[in-house]
Amino acid sequence: DAGVTQSPTHLIKTRGQHVTLRCSPISGHKSVSWYQQVLGQGPQFIFQYYEKEERGRGNFPDRFSARQFPNYSSELNVNALLLGDSALYLCASSLLAGGEAFFGQGTRLTVV
Amino acid sequence: GESVGLHLPTLSVQEGDNSIINCAYSNSASDYFIWYKQESGKGPQFIIDIRSNMDKRQGQRVTVLLNKTVKHLSLQIAATQPGDSAVYFCAENGFGNEKLTFGTGTRLTIIP
């Protein structure tokens, strides 16, 4: 069975640009969450979506947005990139909101 | 505010010995606790979880202990192997709270 898949695996962007990260949850999972992990720290919650509705939002600026599609896949969008947005972006899926979360391998974003 | 912290940032253990990783949390409303293992270049991998109505839970070579009185969580790994070398995170989720709050992580190194 395929786990959580994220694309791309690595990405380099310039300050001020926009980026879209993609996530496909485990088959049957309806909840997708996004986390940002800065080097040397634990993941920080950005968003959670369940059944295509936003269920939670972390302390991130409005430059960060996300959505979930009818097939439960999800996109994370970040506008006006800053150097500080450089991080590993993790997607996690769970069967139910608040259930056991399974993480993908992440997208390594570097902003230069 | 809520936070999840770890007592030790690094831990070195001889192969075959047991290891204990500790974690303190501050949110008394925390209902669900999880330990994750993260290897270099990979996303966090679920190890074991425990709910607040339990004090102890065992898995294969791993045991999680929860002391709600002092808001302390520990992960015990028995008979450590080289493959156990990784960063270990504790995370918590409060009832009705959709997000996981992670600690900063402990790097476990198994010495051959």
Side-chain angles (χ1 to χ4, degrees), chain A residues 57-80:
Chain A
R57 172 184 284 255
N59 188 24
F60 281 81
D62 292 343
R63 300 184 295 107
F64 289 76
S65 63
R67 56 179 174 168
Q68 187 176 32
F69 298 99
N71 66 354
Y72 302 110
S73 67
S74 178
E75 283 184 354
L76 175 69
N77 296 283
V78 187
N79 293 323

Side-chain angles (χ1 to χ4, degrees), chain A residues 15-79:
Chain A
R15 278 180 298 175
Q17 284 188 314
H18 161 271
V19 68
T20 297
L21 310 181
R22 296 178 174 82
C23 172
S24 293
I26 292 171
S27 178
H29 284 195
K30 300 180 178 181
S31 175
V32 170
S33 299
W34 287 95
Y35 290 80
Q36 181 196 65
Q37 186 176 24
V38 175
L39 194 62
Q41 297 183 18
Q44 297 291 314
F45 174 79
I46 309 176
F47 286 110
Q48 187 194 35
Y49 278 77
Y50 179 70
E51 288 279 18
K52 302 180 287 294
E53 292 188 0
E54 183 181 302
R55 291 289 296 269
R57 172 184 284 255
N59 188 24
F60 281 81
D62 292 343
R63 300 184 295 107
F64 289 76
S65 63
R67 56 179 174 168
Q68 187 176 32
F69 298 99
N71 66 354
Y72 302 110
S73 67
S74 178
E75 283 184 354
L76 175 69
N77 296 283
V78 187
N79 293 323

Side-chain angles (χ1 to χ4, degrees), chain B residues 13-19 61-62 76-84 110:
Chain B
V13 175
Q14 203 74 37
E15 182 179 353
D17 287 351
N18 299 333
S19 68
R61 286 201 304 118
V62 295
Q76 301 177 1
I77 304 174
T80 53
Q81 304 168 357
D84 294 331
I110 306 304

Side-chain angles (χ1 to χ4, degrees), chain A residues 33 35 37 40-45 48 55-56 88 90 97-101 103-105, chain B residues 32 36 38 41-46 49 51 89 93 97-105:
Chain A
S33 299
Y35 290 80
Q37 186 176 24
Q41 297 183 18
Q44 297 291 314
F45 174 79
Q48 187 194 35
R55 291 289 296 269
L88 181 68
L90 295 161
E100 180 180 330
F103 284 84
Q105 67 180 25
Chain B
Y32 178 53
Y36 285 94
Q38 188 173 26
K42 296 184 179 180
Q45 176 188 357
F46 175 92
D49 59 1
R51 295 221 172 256
F89 292 98
N93 184 320
N97 187 345
E98 306 298 343
K99 72 176 185 179
L100 290 173
T101 300
F102 283 81
T104 53

